[in-house]
Amino acid sequence: TSTGATVLNLAGSTGITTITNQGSTADLTLNNLASLPTSVVLNTIDDNTTLNFANGALSGTDDLAITLEGTTTNSEIFITYAAGSANDLETVSLISSTAANVVKNIDTNGADVATIEITGSQDLTITDILDTEVTTVSAGSFTGDLSISTGAVAVTTTLGSGADTLVASTGN
């Protein structure tokens, strides 16, 4: 829980498997994560969460799972990697659970994410246009109502069984 803007340098930390940002009332930045955690949970937050990965953290087939549990209108997720990294984060999986979620922005430009996967049963609204390097949105198993806007690129999109809204954008 962050009550003031907090930046943690995790360069010397190893074995981090779960990150939970719960009830923060200010921005939380986690720098130099040495590996992908198996679980990131954002619970009842209305501020920014930044996940910055060290050079060696992204290799092979990378999938970052983020569980959303009641994120609100001002919450933003920033995913980046350290300068000089040659590896990309291939997929960000958003699991919308517990309560309806609103995310203002998911900024994946800093990690070159190509695929956003959306699962879960609670409604999810992503207010801002997805970044242009996102070329696939996979939400076929999502049962909540989804509202998203894609960037000004060709995006392969699969929607779920909810009352989904997709806006195909022509630019930011």
Side-chain angles (χ1 to χ4, degrees):
T1 301
S2 175
T3 57
T6 302
V7 177
L8 297 175
N9 183 350
L10 301 172
S13 301
T14 59
I16 296 173
T17 58
T18 302
I19 295 170
T20 301
N21 184 1
Q22 182 169 347
S24 289
T25 57
D27 297 350
L28 174 64
T29 300
L30 303 176
N31 283 332
N32 297 307
L33 287 158
S35 62
L36 284 175
T38 54
S39 173
V40 174
V41 178
L42 305 181
N43 181 290
T44 59
I45 62 165
D46 193 44
D47 286 289
N48 300 342
T49 300
T50 300
L51 303 170
N52 170 266
F53 294 96
N55 287 335
L58 305 176
S59 61
T61 302
D62 296 315
D63 187 354
L64 175 64
I66 301 174
T67 301
L68 306 172
E69 298 178 342
T71 57
T72 54
T73 308
N74 294 318
S75 64
E76 295 188 64
I77 303 167
F78 295 91
I79 302 168
T80 63
Y81 52 63
S85 180
N87 300 314
D88 297 336
L89 179 62
E90 296 171 2
T91 302
V92 171
S93 297
L94 301 174
I95 301 103
S96 185
S97 69
T98 307
N101 292 281
V102 176
V103 176
K104 181 181 182 321
N105 181 32
I106 299 176
D107 187 329
T108 57
N109 277 331
D112 296 328
V113 174
T115 301
I116 301 285
E117 178 183 60
I118 301 168
T119 61
S121 60
Q122 297 297 314
D123 296 352
L124 174 60
T125 299
I126 302 172
T127 307
D128 287 357
I129 296 170
L130 295 178
D131 293 329
T132 56
E133 82 277 354
V134 174
T135 57
T136 303
V137 174
S138 176
S141 65
F142 184 62
T143 58
D145 296 347
L146 176 63
S147 178
I148 59 170
S149 298
T150 60
V153 294
V155 179
T156 301
T157 306
T158 306
L159 299 175
S161 61
D164 298 332
T165 302
L166 170 66
V167 176
S169 302
T170 58
N172 287 337

